[in-house]
Amino acid sequence: AQSVSQHNHHVILSEAASLELGCNYSYGGTVNLFWYVQYPGQHLQLLLKYFSGDPLVKGIKGFEAEFIKSKFSFNLRKPSVQWSDTAEYFCAVNLPGGGADGLTFGKGTHLIIQP
Amino acid sequence: DAGVTQSPTHLIKTRGQQVTLRCSPKSGHDTVSWYQQALGQGPQFIFQYYEEEERQRGNFPDRFSGHQFPNYSSELNVNALLLGDSALYLCASTRGRPNTGELFFGEGSRLTVL
């Protein structure tokens, strides 16, 4: 079965700092990859996804992620964070053919942006 | 356009009791999945329903069961509750065919087992 590791459980940054959240998965075959975000008081929502093609994926609100197959990684990046990016970020994976079905999530990274 | 709605939002049960949680999918969606999110953890996949049948199941015991109705709404039932079942239960919906890969989540039902 596949698993997902998120290296940083808590990250505190100042506004305008650059962000990179790590995500590694364990599965030897082809996977679909996702980043979900949960803003305070809101429900989980999709930030971006990778199924195939260009390994650099752009999502909403200026976020992007790069799929590096050799490193089994799908790190999330943003060049300049804003206070409104304070949220919980979850990396997730599932197997092709199932679309978003049966996602395996990491434990999440709690990001706090200080004004 | 209503998103995914879940009820109840909070509930408290005692060990050994049974609980039923309900979910209405986003308009136009026909596939419902349930996840359990313990405190400080990511969501864990319980099972998925499509066309009123359980299509996929995660690593959860048979105490966890579900149902999908003709209007695509769904129920999650948990029997013989244990303290460890205390968690936030999330419902997510999507359109089965074609599947865009984007799950729409509800705000969850927080279950406390005493």
Side-chain angles (χ1 to χ4, degrees), chain A residues 34 36 49 100-101 103 106-107, chain B residues 35 41-42 48 99-101 103:
Chain A
F34 307 82
Y36 277 81
K49 63 185 179 185
D101 309 331
L103 288 173
K107 290 186 176 182
Chain B
Y35 287 80
Q41 304 293 316
Q48 179 199 80
N99 193 326
T100 64
L103 288 179

Side-chain angles (χ1 to χ4, degrees), chain A residues 10-15 81-83 85-89 109-115:
Chain A
H10 297 276
V11 173
I12 301 175
L13 295 172
S14 298
E15 277 192 315
V81 295
Q82 301 172 315
W83 176 79
D85 293 325
T86 294
E88 190 88 20
Y89 292 81
T109 296
H110 187 198
L111 175 65
I112 296 174
I113 306 300
Q114 296 177 331

